[in-house]
């Protein structure tokens, strides 16, 4: 049978955080722009079944797909670059692999056999590596292997790559190894030894990389390229320089210059088709680099020490900035440090305030203080998930006079539970994958800010929460000037709150940042920035 889909594996060496996800997404973008149907999947060696139970400090933001998978934040890059949704199948962890194998074992699928890492675990890894490829929807599947080669937990994944390469052949599978060429300033030289060592790790596992993408702070000259090629056993044209850049959105264009896409296609024996169509991408980049305006936005949250915790929000601001030809300076404001006394001083220089998603009580008081400030001073306000819930609590306390109003997440026995646990959540005992997750429809109220922002009456957005607006208090809120302008058509769950008397005050129960892409910047972010620009010129 003819092999339909081709597989590209991306491994990493020397150190973590080299940007495998961005390289994978950039390659995918170039192949897509040449007319190929491409998807990217991430295989993570940790034992959590998914990253949903990880603290953002551990692993950055948890990205949620349309079909409700809690996934690695690299999937966000894939979607933002490709403008194509990912799914449950695009993120696999060691935990998921073992869970399946153990379920199979209990069912009796391996009856009589000893269940082992090789072949049972590696077979399950291979089965999942090929799943999207066998769907018939893609010409090329790029698989990013999380972690660094040489880690104990990566071994079964590298072994699975070796076996797939053997089974499917060199024309159908290639391995790109992302590595680091450090610059030793004392010696004034770029050093190739760490790269040689990490390639040796791969070779010991029987995997010969086809292409080396070399992260570097300085350009690689012909000598260095030759040396890396010779000692790592690859063609000179397969040594790709990946120099540090101003923005991640530059990477596809630099990879194009380095001919990464052409080398990949040649190795896979695929035609180059057309030159990549990247006009829209280039226009976006030019807006990012040559803004006509600048605004300052305060992002009020409690995970501010780690920028990756709010990855998608940051990226959505870049997209929205470009759409407005405006540079958006997002400053993190630690919610735990905000008080009634210092809020005016700390927030006075911002043209917009965003209160971030989150879990648990830490930093809530500061979020409420920030919202009060935005509401009373007509500063454009945008609350996401917990940020929306806080805007409800703040309104109940300071406008409606219920000083004890709270969310039952923070205070179970509150007398005025304006944010309550969703009914279906009350029976939930397990933590992993049990929130209200993924895409749900939402109807917008005619004439509302939300309906003007979206320009339509029905939308679909992604979710990740256990608590909701308590509709028992709906009439009281609306009487006092906070409106519910977005609701779920089936359950009536409140998805959007607004204060029509305020110039721009919107809180959303869903996560709009997860759907913002280079090609489709999210309308709420775009309008929020537009309003911030107007505020600046007042
Ligand atoms: N902790 C809140 C809830 O579970 C909000 C979640 C979030 O901000 N993603 O409903």
């Amino acid at each position: 049978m003819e092999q339909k889909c081709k597989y590209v594996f991306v491994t990493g060496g020397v150190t973590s955080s080299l940007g495998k996800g961005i390289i994978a997404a950039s390659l995918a973008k170039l192949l897509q722009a040449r007319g190929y149907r491409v998807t990217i999947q991430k295989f993570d060696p940790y034992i959590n079944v998914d990253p949903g139970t990880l603290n953002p400090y551990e692993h950055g933001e948890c990205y949620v797909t349309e079909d409700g998978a809690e996934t690695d934040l690299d999937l966000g890059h894939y979607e933002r670059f490709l403008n194509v949704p990912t799914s449950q199948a695009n993120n696999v962890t060691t935990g998921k692999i073992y869970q399946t194998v153990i379920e199979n074992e209990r069912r009796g699928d391996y009856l009589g056999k000893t269940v082992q890492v090789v072949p049972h675990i590696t077979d399950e890894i291979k089965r999942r590596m090929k799943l999207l490829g066998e769907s018939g929807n893609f010409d090329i599947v790029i698989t990013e292997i999380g972690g660094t080669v040489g880690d104990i937990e990566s071994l079964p994944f590298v072994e699975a790559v070796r076996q797939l390469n053997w089974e499917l052949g060199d024309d159908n599978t290639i391995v790109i190894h992302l590595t680091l060429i450090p610059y030793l300033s004392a010696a004034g030289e770029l050093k190739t030894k760490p790269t040689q060592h990490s390639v040796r790790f791969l070779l010991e596992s029987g995997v010969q990389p086809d292409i080396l993408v070399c992260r570097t702070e300085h350009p690689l000259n012909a000598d260095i390229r030759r040396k890396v090629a010779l000692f790592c056993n690859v063609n000179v044209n397969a040594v790709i320089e990946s120099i540090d850049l101003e923005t991640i959105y530059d990477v596809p264009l630099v990879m194009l210059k380095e001919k990464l896409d052409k080398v990949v296609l040649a190795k896979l024996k695929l035609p180059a088709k057309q030159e990549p169509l990247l006009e829209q991408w280039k226009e976006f980049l030019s807006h990012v680099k040559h803004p006509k305006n600048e605004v300052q936005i305060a992002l009020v949250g409690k995970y501010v020490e780690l920028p990756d915790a709010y990855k998608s929000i940051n990226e959505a601001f870049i997209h929205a900035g470009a759409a407005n030809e405006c540079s958006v300076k997002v400053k993190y404001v630690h919610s735990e440090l905000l008080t009634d006394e210092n809020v005016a001083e700390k927030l006075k220089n911002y043209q917009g305030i965003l209160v971030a998603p989150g879990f648990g009580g830490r930093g809530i008081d500061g979020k409420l203080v920030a919202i009060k400030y935005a509401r009373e001073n007509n500063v454009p306000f945008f609350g996401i998930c917990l940020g929306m819930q806080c805007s409800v609590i703040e309104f109940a306390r300071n406008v409606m006079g219920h000083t004890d109003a709270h969310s039952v997440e923070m205070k179970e026995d509150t007398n005025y539970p304006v944010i309550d646990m969703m009914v279906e959540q009350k029976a939930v005992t397990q933590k992993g994958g049990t929130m209200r997750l993924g895409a749900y429809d939402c109807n917008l109220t005619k004439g509302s800010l939300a309906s003007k922002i979206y320009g339509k009456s029905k939308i679909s957005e992604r979710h990740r929460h256990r608590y909701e607006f308590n509709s028992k208090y709906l009439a009281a809120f609306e009487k006092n000037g906070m409106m519910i302008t977005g609701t779920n058509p089936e359950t009536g769950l409140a998805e959007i709150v607004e204060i029509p008397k305020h110039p721009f005050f919107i809180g959303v129960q869903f996560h709009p940042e997860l759907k913002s892409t280079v090609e489709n910047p999210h309308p709420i972010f775009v309008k929020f920035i537009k309003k911030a620009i107007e505020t600046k010129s007042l």
Side-chain angles (χ1 to χ4, degrees):
M1 199 185 81
E2 196 204 340
Q3 165 68 40
K4 289 208 189 78
C5 183
K6 308 248 180 182
Y7 297 90
V8 176
F9 296 96
V10 182
T11 58
V14 183
T15 164
S16 57
S17 307
L18 289 182
K20 279 197 300 279
I22 302 293
I23 292 295
S26 299
L27 172 62
K29 182 77 222 167
L30 295 178
L31 297 173
Q32 182 194 54
R34 283 187 184 273
Y36 284 100
R37 298 170 307 156
V38 194
T39 190
I40 320 177
Q41 52 187 5
K42 173 129 197 224
F43 279 55
D44 274 313
Y46 53 73
I47 297 172
N48 303 63
V49 171
D50 60 46
T53 51
L54 292 175
N55 185 317
Y57 289 123
E58 284 279 320
H59 205 66
E61 160 193 285
C62 174
Y63 188 79
V64 181
T65 59
E66 285 288 294
D67 62 354
E70 296 180 285
T71 72
D72 186 82
L73 58 79
D74 272 336
L75 271 80
H77 290 309
Y78 307 163
E79 291 200 8
R80 289 187 281 272
F81 275 52
L82 294 182
N83 199 37
V84 178
T86 53
S87 70
Q88 299 272 357
N90 291 74
N91 194 193
V92 175
T93 66
T94 293
K96 267 201 184 112
I97 301 280
Y98 272 79
Q99 195 178 41
T100 306
V101 171
I102 291 169
E103 276 167 13
N104 294 346
E105 188 272 337
R106 292 288 84 184
R107 210 174 31 240
D109 288 4
Y110 315 116
L111 224 49
K113 293 268 184 297
T114 308
V115 181
Q116 295 179 297
V117 173
V118 182
H120 301 99
I121 295 297
T122 45
D123 280 356
E124 178 58 19
I125 297 176
K126 286 193 292 179
R127 186 185 73 79
R128 289 190 183 247
M129 279 176 169
K130 290 190 290 188
L131 266 185
L132 287 168
E134 288 168 350
S135 69
N137 296 332
F138 303 105
D139 306 311
I140 303 169
V141 173
I142 301 177
T143 304
E144 181 192 344
I145 311 286
T148 309
V149 298
D151 295 349
I152 291 175
E153 58 260 44
S154 301
L155 287 175
F157 294 93
V158 176
E159 169 61 9
V161 171
R162 186 196 66 76
Q163 290 187 18
L164 272 184
N165 181 238
W166 183 86
E167 286 168 21
L168 302 174
D170 287 342
D171 295 349
N172 297 314
T173 56
I174 60 164
V175 174
I176 299 176
H177 187 56
L178 178 61
T179 166
L180 176 72
I181 311 269
Y183 180 78
L184 277 196
S185 44
E189 276 180 6
L190 288 164
K191 291 293 184 189
T192 65
K193 197 73 89 191
T195 293
Q196 295 179 42
H197 282 301
S198 85
V199 170
R200 192 159 304 158
F201 262 133
L202 273 178
L203 287 170
E204 275 169 19
S205 308
V207 172
Q208 165 69 56
D210 299 278
I211 297 170
L212 296 175
V213 175
C214 305
R215 279 300 298 272
T216 175
E217 289 170 16
H218 297 272
L220 306 179
N221 62 27
D223 274 354
I224 294 272
R225 287 182 193 246
R226 227 192 122 260
K227 191 170 168 191
V228 171
L230 174 66
F231 292 116
C232 299
N233 211 22
V234 300
N235 299 335
V236 178
N237 75 351
V239 177
I240 306 287
E241 172 189 291
S242 172
I243 203 151
D244 295 354
L245 296 164
E246 189 185 323
T247 145
I248 55 169
Y249 297 105
D250 272 328
V251 181
L253 299 178
V254 172
M255 288 302 112
L256 179 67
K257 240 189 241 150
E258 283 283 304
K259 303 195 175 61
L260 174 63
D261 55 332
K262 277 197 167 158
V263 179
V264 165
L265 290 171
K267 291 206 183 283
L268 291 172
K269 304 271 187 312
L270 288 171
K273 292 196 186 178
Q274 72 224 13
E275 277 308 299
L277 297 171
L278 291 165
E279 293 324 306
Q280 202 183 346
W281 191 276
K282 287 180 185 159
E283 192 186 325
F284 159 79
L285 251 185
S286 131
H287 287 165
V288 170
K289 293 193 173 176
H290 310 289
K292 299 199 172 109
N293 230 319
E294 183 183 306
V295 290
Q296 312 270 341
I297 301 294
L299 191 161
V300 180
K302 67 173 172 181
Y303 304 117
V304 293
E305 300 87 348
L306 186 82
D308 272 1
Y310 301 117
K311 192 91 215 164
S312 294
I313 294 178
N314 270 316
E315 300 306 315
F317 273 128
I318 295 174
H319 308 152
N324 283 291
E325 295 186 61
C326 175
S327 163
V328 181
K329 301 277 183 237
V330 180
K331 298 273 165 58
Y332 287 180
V333 177
H334 204 310
S335 50
E336 281 182 291
L337 303 179
L338 280 179
T339 62
D340 277 324
E341 290 69 43
N342 68 18
V343 64
E345 183 54 32
K346 281 200 186 278
L347 295 182
K348 67 172 191 230
N349 292 327
Y350 298 101
Q351 292 84 48
I353 295 172
L354 182 143
V355 175
F359 293 84
R362 185 164 67 88
I364 289 292
D365 291 343
K367 288 184 174 174
L368 297 176
V369 162
I371 295 166
K372 180 167 186 269
Y373 176 84
R375 182 176 56 74
E376 290 180 344
N377 294 283
N378 289 335
V379 184
F381 169 78
F382 183 5
I384 299 182
C385 208
L386 182 62
M388 170 268 197
Q389 297 175 355
C390 285
S391 73
V392 170
I393 299 168
E394 193 279 326
F395 197 85
R397 287 188 187 181
N398 300 326
V399 178
M400 294 158 68
H402 298 287
T403 46
D404 51 351
H406 219 320
S407 162
V408 296
E409 181 181 6
M410 328 302 165
K411 195 167 188 298
E412 230 173 303
D413 59 350
T414 170
N415 290 325
Y416 212 74
V418 287
I419 302 295
D420 202 0
M421 188 178 259
M422 282 181 278
V423 182
E424 65 270 27
Q425 286 290 327
K426 293 190 176 151
V428 170
T429 51
Q430 301 250 55
K431 285 277 184 251
T434 54
M435 281 187 249
R436 178 174 182 248
L437 292 166
Y440 286 91
D441 287 342
C442 169
N443 290 342
L444 304 179
T445 307
K446 233 173 142 192
S448 63
L449 174 62
S451 78
K452 281 182 207 134
I453 287 175
Y454 280 93
K456 50 185 171 183
S457 58
K458 199 179 178 78
I459 57 166
S460 166
E461 292 281 2
R462 297 186 203 168
H463 300 73
R464 184 172 188 247
H465 63 119
R466 288 190 205 284
Y467 300 85
E468 64 174 327
F469 176 83
N470 189 343
S471 52
K472 193 167 103 184
Y473 301 110
L474 183 100
F477 272 91
E478 300 214 324
K479 202 173 114 223
N480 283 281
M482 177 175 261
M483 302 298 175
I484 306 303
T485 59
T487 44
N488 179 283
E490 269 116 54
T491 61
L493 184 145
E495 296 278 16
I496 307 178
V497 301
E498 294 177 19
I499 301 178
K501 264 187 27 216
H502 187 284
F504 191 104
F505 191 105
I506 188 164
V508 295
Q509 183 56 75
F510 46 82
H511 290 265
E513 72 277 18
L514 303 176
K515 282 183 73 169
S516 187
T517 69
V518 168
E519 273 170 52
N520 276 321
H522 195 284
I524 305 184
F525 281 86
V526 174
K527 297 289 164 38
F528 180 57
I529 294 305
K530 189 164 177 272
K531 198 72 197 175
I533 298 170
E534 285 169 26
T535 306
K536 195 179 164 192
S537 52
L538 284 180

